Amino acid sequence: MPIPPVPPTEPVPVAADTWLIPNLAPGEPGTYVPVNAMLIRGAEPVVVDTGAPIHRELWLEKVFGLVDPEDVRWIFLSHDDGDHTGGLHDALALCPNATLVTNAFGTERLNLERPLPLDRLRWLEPGDAFDAGDRRLRLVLPPIFDGPTTRGLFDERTGALWAVDSFAALTTGAVHTRDELPAELYDETFKLFNSLISPWHEWLDVDRYGRHVDSVAALRPSVVASAHGPLLTGGYIDDAFARVRALAGQPRLMLPGQPSLDEFVDAAIAAAPAGLTPA
Ligand SMILES: [Fe+2]
Ligand SMILES: [Fe+2]
């Protein structure tokens, strides 16, 4: 089944010397799943995540249209999920001066796919930081995450927070900021995606989880960028933290099952040109 085309996207400024590297995957008709990475082009440029395998070439084009690979000094990998590691080995090969920031468990998991060069790694944990020349970048545990190796990144110079899989929501196209999204689409899909990403929220103690969310919100980010949601600024940041805080103890949302898959397959067959439908 061919993948429907998606609107083209270009890098979007996040903060000074910082860009969102967006790509899209098809969602419900008229909607798209953002699959973003980020670039901080300071004194020591930092590649933040490396996109999904289906976007590998687009990701390489966008990132290295903004920075010379020889200049990249850091590749920060938020976690080892495939939609964040699409261009990882390309980036390691193209950026010989870059150190890969990850952690021990991330390395173990990634090594099962293709061994990482151990002498190019730095293992850091939430609360640790690294110095990228003109800024300190601090690792944080985001409020919502779907893999045990996940760490977000806070730029102490610009106040930009990379929230990884937290704050995900569908978009309507090459639309990358919260105020450009229809409120209803954001409400519905924020709830769905953040629940799908962290189904464990139904077991959370409201107060204890609230304290964790508060600890991240206390960074007072100037802007929040994430892999699967819009850029957030101003009151939209507090709103997003409040939305994830409210998931604690709530029943998780369920995925569509076989009847929905049957409908999708029937619709795809009905839409296929004559002669291409299965017998
Ligand atoms: Fe993930
Ligand atoms: Fe992700």
PDB file of all heavy atoms in Angstrom, residues 34-36 49 78-79 81-84 146 164-166 197 227-228, ligand 2:
ATOM      1  N   PRO A  34       3.688  14.744  13.666  1.00  0.00           N
ATOM      2  CA  PRO A  34       5.010  15.363  13.580  1.00  0.00           C
ATOM      3  C   PRO A  34       6.085  14.366  14.020  1.00  0.00           C
ATOM      4  O   PRO A  34       5.878  13.586  14.955  1.00  0.00           O
ATOM      5  CB  PRO A  34       4.940  16.521  14.590  1.00  0.00           C
ATOM      6  CG  PRO A  34       3.494  16.707  14.901  1.00  0.00           C
ATOM      7  CD  PRO A  34       2.853  15.364  14.706  1.00  0.00           C
ATOM      8  N   VAL A  35       7.202  14.366  13.310  1.00  0.00           N
ATOM      9  CA  VAL A  35       8.355  13.532  13.698  1.00  0.00           C
ATOM     10  C   VAL A  35       9.571  14.460  13.616  1.00  0.00           C
ATOM     11  O   VAL A  35      10.242  14.543  12.596  1.00  0.00           O
ATOM     12  CB  VAL A  35       8.520  12.311  12.768  1.00  0.00           C
ATOM     13  CG1 VAL A  35       9.620  11.387  13.307  1.00  0.00           C
ATOM     14  CG2 VAL A  35       7.210  11.532  12.631  1.00  0.00           C
ATOM     15  N   ASN A  36       9.796  15.163  14.718  1.00  0.00           N
ATOM     16  CA  ASN A  36      10.778  16.254  14.725  1.00  0.00           C
ATOM     17  C   ASN A  36      12.100  15.853  15.346  1.00  0.00           C
ATOM     18  O   ASN A  36      12.166  14.940  16.182  1.00  0.00           O
ATOM     19  CB  ASN A  36      10.242  17.438  15.552  1.00  0.00           C
ATOM     20  CG  ASN A  36       8.890  17.923  15.069  1.00  0.00           C
ATOM     21  OD1 ASN A  36       8.633  17.944  13.878  1.00  0.00           O
ATOM     22  ND2 ASN A  36       8.025  18.312  16.002  1.00  0.00           N
ATOM     23  N   ASP A  49      18.610  14.451  18.492  1.00  0.00           N
ATOM     24  CA  ASP A  49      17.869  13.352  17.857  1.00  0.00           C
ATOM     25  C   ASP A  49      18.071  13.341  16.339  1.00  0.00           C
ATOM     26  O   ASP A  49      18.523  14.328  15.750  1.00  0.00           O
ATOM     27  CB  ASP A  49      16.381  13.361  18.234  1.00  0.00           C
ATOM     28  CG  ASP A  49      16.144  12.719  19.598  1.00  0.00           C
ATOM     29  OD1 ASP A  49      17.001  11.937  20.042  1.00  0.00           O
ATOM     30  OD2 ASP A  49      15.106  13.006  20.215  1.00  0.00           O
ATOM     31  N   SER A  78      18.006  11.343  22.531  1.00  0.00           N
ATOM     32  CA  SER A  78      17.095  11.361  23.689  1.00  0.00           C
ATOM     33  C   SER A  78      16.799   9.945  24.182  1.00  0.00           C
ATOM     34  O   SER A  78      16.665   9.719  25.373  1.00  0.00           O
ATOM     35  CB  SER A  78      15.787  12.063  23.334  1.00  0.00           C
ATOM     36  OG  SER A  78      15.065  11.301  22.375  1.00  0.00           O
ATOM     37  N   HIS A  79      16.666   9.011  23.255  1.00  0.00           N
ATOM     38  CA  HIS A  79      16.457   7.600  23.601  1.00  0.00           C
ATOM     39  C   HIS A  79      16.572   6.767  22.340  1.00  0.00           C
ATOM     40  O   HIS A  79      16.768   7.310  21.253  1.00  0.00           O
ATOM     41  CB  HIS A  79      15.137   7.363  24.342  1.00  0.00           C
ATOM     42  CG  HIS A  79      13.877   7.658  23.577  1.00  0.00           C
ATOM     43  ND1 HIS A  79      13.661   8.833  22.892  1.00  0.00           N
ATOM     44  CD2 HIS A  79      12.732   6.936  23.409  1.00  0.00           C
ATOM     45  CE1 HIS A  79      12.457   8.805  22.350  1.00  0.00           C
ATOM     46  NE2 HIS A  79      11.876   7.671  22.633  1.00  0.00           N
ATOM     47  N   ASP A  81      14.450   4.797  20.687  1.00  0.00           N
ATOM     48  CA  ASP A  81      13.312   4.452  19.819  1.00  0.00           C
ATOM     49  C   ASP A  81      13.648   4.798  18.370  1.00  0.00           C
ATOM     50  O   ASP A  81      14.285   5.817  18.086  1.00  0.00           O
ATOM     51  CB  ASP A  81      12.068   5.230  20.235  1.00  0.00           C
ATOM     52  CG  ASP A  81      11.341   4.562  21.403  1.00  0.00           C
ATOM     53  OD1 ASP A  81      11.772   3.475  21.824  1.00  0.00           O
ATOM     54  OD2 ASP A  81      10.358   5.136  21.882  1.00  0.00           O
ATOM     55  N   GLY A  82      13.136   3.939  17.457  1.00  0.00           N
ATOM     56  CA  GLY A  82      13.486   4.058  16.043  1.00  0.00           C
ATOM     57  C   GLY A  82      13.187   5.417  15.439  1.00  0.00           C
ATOM     58  O   GLY A  82      13.907   5.881  14.550  1.00  0.00           O
ATOM     59  N   ASP A  83      12.125   6.084  15.917  1.00  0.00           N
ATOM     60  CA  ASP A  83      11.760   7.367  15.316  1.00  0.00           C
ATOM     61  C   ASP A  83      12.684   8.503  15.767  1.00  0.00           C
ATOM     62  O   ASP A  83      12.482   9.652  15.399  1.00  0.00           O
ATOM     63  CB  ASP A  83      10.297   7.713  15.616  1.00  0.00           C
ATOM     64  CG  ASP A  83       9.984   7.736  17.092  1.00  0.00           C
ATOM     65  OD1 ASP A  83      10.518   6.899  17.837  1.00  0.00           O
ATOM     66  OD2 ASP A  83       9.198   8.601  17.521  1.00  0.00           O
ATOM     67  N   HIS A  84      13.714   8.143  16.558  1.00  0.00           N
ATOM     68  CA  HIS A  84      14.702   9.143  16.989  1.00  0.00           C
ATOM     69  C   HIS A  84      16.114   8.777  16.513  1.00  0.00           C
ATOM     70  O   HIS A  84      17.038   9.561  16.693  1.00  0.00           O
ATOM     71  CB  HIS A  84      14.693   9.274  18.521  1.00  0.00           C
ATOM     72  CG  HIS A  84      13.360   9.723  19.044  1.00  0.00           C
ATOM     73  ND1 HIS A  84      13.161  10.977  19.596  1.00  0.00           N
ATOM     74  CD2 HIS A  84      12.152   9.104  19.059  1.00  0.00           C
ATOM     75  CE1 HIS A  84      11.883  11.105  19.929  1.00  0.00           C
ATOM     76  NE2 HIS A  84      11.251   9.965  19.617  1.00  0.00           N
ATOM     77  N   ASP A 146       8.254   7.022  26.656  1.00  0.00           N
ATOM     78  CA  ASP A 146       7.861   5.656  26.284  1.00  0.00           C
ATOM     79  C   ASP A 146       9.050   4.707  26.217  1.00  0.00           C
ATOM     80  O   ASP A 146       8.930   3.604  25.710  1.00  0.00           O
ATOM     81  CB  ASP A 146       7.102   5.652  24.950  1.00  0.00           C
ATOM     82  CG  ASP A 146       7.959   6.132  23.792  1.00  0.00           C
ATOM     83  OD1 ASP A 146       9.134   6.492  24.030  1.00  0.00           O
ATOM     84  OD2 ASP A 146       7.456   6.140  22.654  1.00  0.00           O
ATOM     85  N   VAL A 164      11.193  15.661  24.084  1.00  0.00           N
ATOM     86  CA  VAL A 164      11.199  14.309  23.510  1.00  0.00           C
ATOM     87  C   VAL A 164       9.769  13.888  23.121  1.00  0.00           C
ATOM     88  O   VAL A 164       9.154  14.537  22.305  1.00  0.00           O
ATOM     89  CB  VAL A 164      11.886  13.292  24.452  1.00  0.00           C
ATOM     90  CG1 VAL A 164      12.213  11.993  23.712  1.00  0.00           C
ATOM     91  CG2 VAL A 164      13.151  13.874  25.047  1.00  0.00           C
ATOM     92  N   ASP A 165       9.231  12.825  23.737  1.00  0.00           N
ATOM     93  CA  ASP A 165       7.911  12.316  23.352  1.00  0.00           C
ATOM     94  C   ASP A 165       6.770  12.973  24.141  1.00  0.00           C
ATOM     95  O   ASP A 165       5.594  12.686  23.871  1.00  0.00           O
ATOM     96  CB  ASP A 165       7.850  10.800  23.548  1.00  0.00           C
ATOM     97  CG  ASP A 165       8.713  10.049  22.538  1.00  0.00           C
ATOM     98  OD1 ASP A 165       8.950  10.576  21.434  1.00  0.00           O
ATOM     99  OD2 ASP A 165       9.152   8.924  22.857  1.00  0.00           O
ATOM    100  N   SER A 166       7.094  13.816  25.121  1.00  0.00           N
ATOM    101  CA  SER A 166       6.040  14.515  25.861  1.00  0.00           C
ATOM    102  C   SER A 166       5.348  15.517  24.955  1.00  0.00           C
ATOM    103  O   SER A 166       5.953  16.053  24.025  1.00  0.00           O
ATOM    104  CB  SER A 166       6.638  15.301  27.040  1.00  0.00           C
ATOM    105  OG  SER A 166       7.195  14.437  27.980  1.00  0.00           O
ATOM    106  N   ILE A 197       1.569   7.017  24.737  1.00  0.00           N
ATOM    107  CA  ILE A 197       3.011   7.002  24.974  1.00  0.00           C
ATOM    108  C   ILE A 197       3.338   6.543  26.400  1.00  0.00           C
ATOM    109  O   ILE A 197       4.376   5.933  26.634  1.00  0.00           O
ATOM    110  CB  ILE A 197       3.591   8.414  24.700  1.00  0.00           C
ATOM    111  CG1 ILE A 197       3.602   8.689  23.189  1.00  0.00           C
ATOM    112  CG2 ILE A 197       4.997   8.579  25.270  1.00  0.00           C
ATOM    113  CD1 ILE A 197       3.877  10.121  22.813  1.00  0.00           C
ATOM    114  N   ALA A 227       9.347  16.025  19.893  1.00  0.00           N
ATOM    115  CA  ALA A 227       9.455  15.188  18.694  1.00  0.00           C
ATOM    116  C   ALA A 227       8.121  15.028  17.977  1.00  0.00           C
ATOM    117  O   ALA A 227       8.095  14.821  16.769  1.00  0.00           O
ATOM    118  CB  ALA A 227      10.012  13.826  19.067  1.00  0.00           C
ATOM    119  N   HIS A 228       7.014  15.112  18.713  1.00  0.00           N
ATOM    120  CA  HIS A 228       5.732  14.788  18.078  1.00  0.00           C
ATOM    121  C   HIS A 228       4.630  15.806  18.381  1.00  0.00           C
ATOM    122  O   HIS A 228       3.450  15.471  18.313  1.00  0.00           O
ATOM    123  CB  HIS A 228       5.282  13.387  18.512  1.00  0.00           C
ATOM    124  CG  HIS A 228       6.358  12.357  18.358  1.00  0.00           C
ATOM    125  ND1 HIS A 228       6.877  12.013  17.137  1.00  0.00           N
ATOM    126  CD2 HIS A 228       7.046  11.631  19.277  1.00  0.00           C
ATOM    127  CE1 HIS A 228       7.829  11.104  17.307  1.00  0.00           C
ATOM    128  NE2 HIS A 228       7.954  10.860  18.599  1.00  0.00           N
TER     129      HIS A 228
HETATM  130 FE    FE B   2       9.171   9.431  19.578  1.00  0.00          FE
END
